[in-house]
Amino acid sequence: MATRRKSTASEVEEKVASEPEDKPESDEEKEDDSEEDLDFVLLLSSELQHGYRILRYLTQDQNTVWPFRDPVDVEGLHLNSYHEIVERPICFKQIEQKFRDNEYENLTAFVADVRLLLINCYRFNGAQHSISKMAQRIEHMLEQKIALLPK
């Protein structure tokens, strides 16, 4: 059995430099290319552009945002009492669609929807649940971003 020799730093640099330019893109570049057209953001008011940037910031950490990205699968998760407890369900996908459909009149309406998402979570799961802990992280990030907005 042959032993494999470690490459030196200069060999690695040489190999990288000799690779063809049309090599596969990184995961980050692929994600950027696969995202939908964001031209609608340019049509938003400056205030709502800030809101959309906050939404993108809040939804970038998949480990925290996954329970809130899509509507709650009430039937699939057998959450029979969900609609009795949560009167106005909302998720980040719906919030983003409201930006795309130009349904927000101002930043306050967007923030109200994010807060509704968080309140729904707290109300249904209770404050100590692990999903509520994720919501608390999102709430903290939201409040930090709101505090940094121009007055």
Side-chain angles (χ1 to χ4, degrees):
M1 181 167 117
T3 38
R4 192 170 173 167
R5 175 179 72 82
K6 285 187 175 180
S7 300
T8 65
S10 61
E11 289 172 329
V12 171
E13 288 173 12
E14 196 174 299
K15 181 178 179 186
V16 169
S18 68
E19 288 179 355
E21 290 297 316
D22 60 339
K23 66 182 178 182
E25 301 173 33
S26 71
D27 289 344
E28 187 174 275
E29 290 169 325
K30 286 180 190 175
E31 186 177 310
D32 288 347
D33 289 343
S34 67
E35 288 182 19
E36 292 183 38
D37 182 25
L38 296 178
D39 287 342
F40 74 92
V41 176
L42 300 175
L43 302 175
L44 297 173
S45 68
S46 173
E47 178 184 22
L48 287 174
Q49 286 180 14
H50 285 298
Y52 189 74
R53 279 193 289 274
I54 291 171
L55 175 66
R56 300 288 291 207
Y57 174 75
L58 296 177
T59 58
Q60 70 186 0
D61 180 6
Q62 299 306 311
N63 293 324
T64 301
V65 78
W66 67 265
F68 311 104
R69 180 162 305 286
D70 297 306
V72 173
D73 182 7
V74 175
E75 290 179 18
L77 296 171
H78 306 289
L79 304 174
N80 301 330
S81 63
Y82 185 78
H83 290 294
E84 294 169 18
I85 297 169
V86 176
E87 295 175 12
R88 293 181 41 221
I90 193 160
C91 65
F92 279 126
K93 188 178 276 186
Q94 293 165 319
I95 292 171
E96 179 164 6
Q97 192 59 50
K98 287 176 88 169
F99 271 111
R100 291 178 181 280
D101 295 342
N102 201 22
E103 290 183 31
Y104 287 120
E105 291 185 27
N106 53 42
L107 186 64
T108 303
F110 156 68
V111 171
D113 272 353
V114 175
R115 289 193 173 132
L116 174 62
L117 179 147
L118 299 169
I119 289 167
N120 288 346
C121 173
Y122 301 145
R123 186 172 289 147
F124 185 77
N125 296 299
Q128 299 307 312
H129 194 280
S130 61
I131 303 267
S132 294
K133 299 292 184 187
M134 292 178 198
Q136 290 169 358
R137 284 193 288 268
I138 292 169
E139 183 175 19
H140 181 72
M141 292 170 22
L142 174 67
E143 297 306 326
Q144 284 182 322
K145 288 300 180 182
I146 290 172
L148 296 174
L149 288 173
K151 302 287 180 207

